[in-house]
Amino acid sequence: MSVAGSRGSARSVRVGVLPMGSGGRVLVQTMWKGPLTRGDPAAARRLEALKSLGCDIVRFAVPTAEAAETLGELAKNTDVPLVADIHFDHKIALACLEYPIAKLRINPGNIGASWKVAEVVAKAKDRGVPVRIGVNSGSLPQDLRGASDQAAAMVEAARRECEAFEALGFRDIVVSAKSSDVADTVAAYRELSKSLPYPLHLGLTEAGPLIAGTARTAVALGPLLREGIGDTIRVSLSDSMENEVIAAREILGAAGLGVGGARIVSCPRCARAGFDTHAFLERWAAKLYSLRTNATIAVMGCAVNGPGEASKADLGITGAGDSVIIFKHGALVRMVRPEDADSAFAEELESL
Ligand code: SF4
């Protein structure tokens, strides 16, 4: 179990407006994948769209001083908490702290001399910004590289860094210990939850493409979340930020920690289908995942299981012979031709 003896860490931090840890909601994160152009209004719009999908926090790689400035300007113009991710150059971390960023992530394996870390920590403390100690199995400190027990090596790296931060009087810490290996990830986080009081950022690093990465991350994080371990999660996919957020939501939901909004039930479709569930979900998934209302939405192909599932949902649509029928809270409310299905569904969704 976690140090707190229940859900989440013993201590908490504040990431922008959001509390993280101490049994609070498990926050969903993604990481910005493309270049960030200064003053690009599309960036702020995309952050809003991610937020509406259920994303709480967005992290940005900040490789240069110019990137720090660009991120800082964006942070001034959004209420989404933004995290600056820094490797190698502590001066970039110091530059980011001139702006209203919500959190820093540094990698103890490559940030360098302890005086550099001390400068960053002092400024973070001054600005009230928490710092994630992001240990990664691929970039462990020199003496821990090649250790036979990678999980123990990651825990040791995190523990050392926490002690260094504590010696500087800094405890607004979040910890992660990521590996691309499921067993190492589970073992490392179980140990961290027993030995450290800080909020844990859960994730499997370099998890893979959409399906493989989601499956591996779910297998790694599912048991941890169900044991009460973890305060924020990111699903690291070779895919879009939007799909990372949806995957994280689904993992939380399956672990009994759903963040609300839509829960989609849909059939895989087969030769009996009179209604194309795949095409329908292609058109509707983003809209459904942006619903603010807690609702089960069923999307079914035919009369075999369709009416049963659709009538159990808050809103259900199913093929039935040559028609498409819509159920709302258990009652059949519409029977339409397939070409009118979207407009009928839109009207019923509107008034859900
Ligand atoms: S609901 Fe109908 S179309 Fe969908 S998988 Fe079942 S039998 Fe096939």
Side-chain angles (χ1 to χ4, degrees):
M1 289 300 286
S2 64
V3 170
S6 58
R7 155 98 261 126
S9 60
R11 291 181 64 89
S12 64
V13 297
R14 186 156 280 276
V15 181
V17 295
L18 298 173
M20 178 190 289
S22 293
R25 181 168 68 77
V26 179
L27 303 176
V28 170
Q29 308 203 16
T30 186
M31 190 162 180
W32 196 262
K33 305 208 171 210
L36 185 61
T37 312
R38 189 160 186 174
D40 180 4
R45 284 201 299 273
R46 187 124 186 233
L47 287 175
E48 279 310 306
L50 286 165
K51 185 178 168 185
S52 76
L53 280 178
C55 181
D56 296 300
I57 297 168
V58 181
R59 178 162 53 114
F60 289 75
V62 190
T64 62
E66 194 187 346
E69 217 177 303
T70 304
L71 174 63
E73 291 303 322
L74 181 61
K76 288 181 187 171
N77 292 308
T78 179
D79 61 354
V80 177
L82 306 186
V83 180
D85 186 294
I86 317 290
H87 289 259
F88 304 114
D89 189 345
H90 82 293
K91 287 194 186 130
I92 297 175
L94 296 174
C96 288
L97 287 165
E98 293 294 322
Y99 296 95
I101 58 159
K103 184 158 60 109
L104 269 184
R105 181 270 169 131
I106 62 170
N107 184 331
N110 64 30
I111 207 76
S114 55
W115 66 266
K116 294 179 180 174
V117 175
E119 277 190 14
V120 174
V121 164
K123 192 160 180 179
K125 190 175 181 184
D126 186 48
R127 301 295 163 108
V129 173
V131 179
R132 170 158 69 96
I133 296 171
V135 174
N136 194 300
S137 65
S139 51
L140 285 168
Q142 195 70 43
D143 65 311
L144 295 172
R145 283 179 201 164
S148 57
D149 186 340
Q150 283 289 290
M154 288 194 291
V155 172
E156 174 59 15
R159 191 189 58 74
R160 282 181 197 172
E161 215 58 30
C162 287
E163 282 178 8
F165 279 35
E166 287 160 1
L168 295 163
F170 189 84
R171 292 171 74 85
D172 281 343
I173 300 169
V174 178
V175 175
S176 64
K178 297 190 185 181
S179 161
S180 57
D181 183 90
V182 169
D184 283 345
T185 300
V186 172
Y189 279 109
R190 279 191 178 136
E191 184 53 37
L192 287 172
S193 74
K194 280 190 239 159
S195 55
L196 293 176
Y198 304 114
L200 294 178
H201 166 123
L202 301 188
L204 195 72
T205 198
E206 286 100 37
L210 180 60
I211 296 170
T214 304
R216 290 172 195 153
T217 305
V219 170
L221 270 47
L224 295 169
L225 291 164
R226 292 173 69 88
E227 288 165 31
I229 298 169
D231 303 280
T232 179
I233 69 169
R234 188 227 170 166
V235 185
S236 302
L237 301 175
S238 307
D239 207 280
S240 70
M241 294 187 284
E242 288 75 10
N243 279 341
E244 286 196 358
V245 172
I246 291 169
R249 278 184 56 167
E250 290 293 350
I251 290 170
L252 289 176
L257 298 168
V259 293
R263 173 177 163 268
I264 300 173
V265 175
S266 63
C267 90
R269 198 184 68 195
C270 70
R272 280 182 287 265
F275 180 59
D276 187 348
T277 55
H278 298 201
F280 184 83
L281 283 169
E282 276 282 314
R283 296 192 297 274
W284 282 90
K287 169 101 179 158
L288 293 177
Y289 276 114
S290 298
L291 274 187
R292 302 255 180 236
T293 332
N294 294 343
T296 297
I297 310 289
V299 180
M300 303 294 293
C302 82
V304 172
N305 293 321
E309 286 292 349
S311 62
K312 277 192 282 176
D314 295 293
L315 184 63
I317 183 164
T318 180
D322 294 336
S323 302
V324 171
I325 54 179
I326 297 177
F327 289 85
K328 199 173 198 176
H329 303 304
L332 197 163
V333 291
R334 304 284 282 261
M335 178 175 282
V336 297
R337 295 174 302 172
E339 57 268 35
D340 297 325
D342 279 46
S343 55
F345 183 82
E347 286 167 20
E348 297 303 332
L349 184 65
E350 189 65 31
S351 58
L352 189 63

